[in-house]
Amino acid sequence: PPDVDEIGWVDLDLDFDITSGDVALRDDAEFHDHARTMAYPKDVVRGAWSGISTMAARYTTGDWPFDGALQDWVDSGCR
């Protein structure tokens, strides 16, 4: 497990890619293959698709992290 000041995650291969305002889901075939061959639990698969759905909705409505606040934070030197 990560320490208190660390973030830990597992890359499930799904990428929500935004390029010049165009949105695309990348690596979904790889996700399906790994879900099958690595026996991802059903709740992990549901959670991954739920996360993609949430990110798409947030992008569409301009909610965080697509509201500019994250970029402002990065531009400020992460302070």
Side-chain angles (χ1 to χ4, degrees), residues 5-74:
D5 59 347
E6 294 178 337
I7 297 173
W9 73 89
V10 174
D11 183 351
L12 294 177
D13 307 309
L14 290 172
D15 295 310
F16 187 75
D17 187 17
I18 303 169
T19 306
S20 301
D22 294 327
V23 177
L25 179 62
R26 305 266 188 242
D27 300 328
D28 52 319
E30 187 176 10
F31 172 77
H32 285 293
D33 181 53
H34 287 168
R36 182 181 49 78
T37 60
M38 296 183 196
Y40 292 171
K42 289 181 182 183
D43 61 326
V44 169
V45 173
R46 280 192 304 269
W49 289 116
S50 175
I52 288 293
S53 179
T54 297
M55 293 309 293
R58 286 177 176 266
Y59 177 74
T60 300
T61 59
D63 289 335
W64 189 91
F66 305 106
D67 64 353
L70 185 59
Q71 188 62 51
D72 292 344
W73 180 70
V74 169

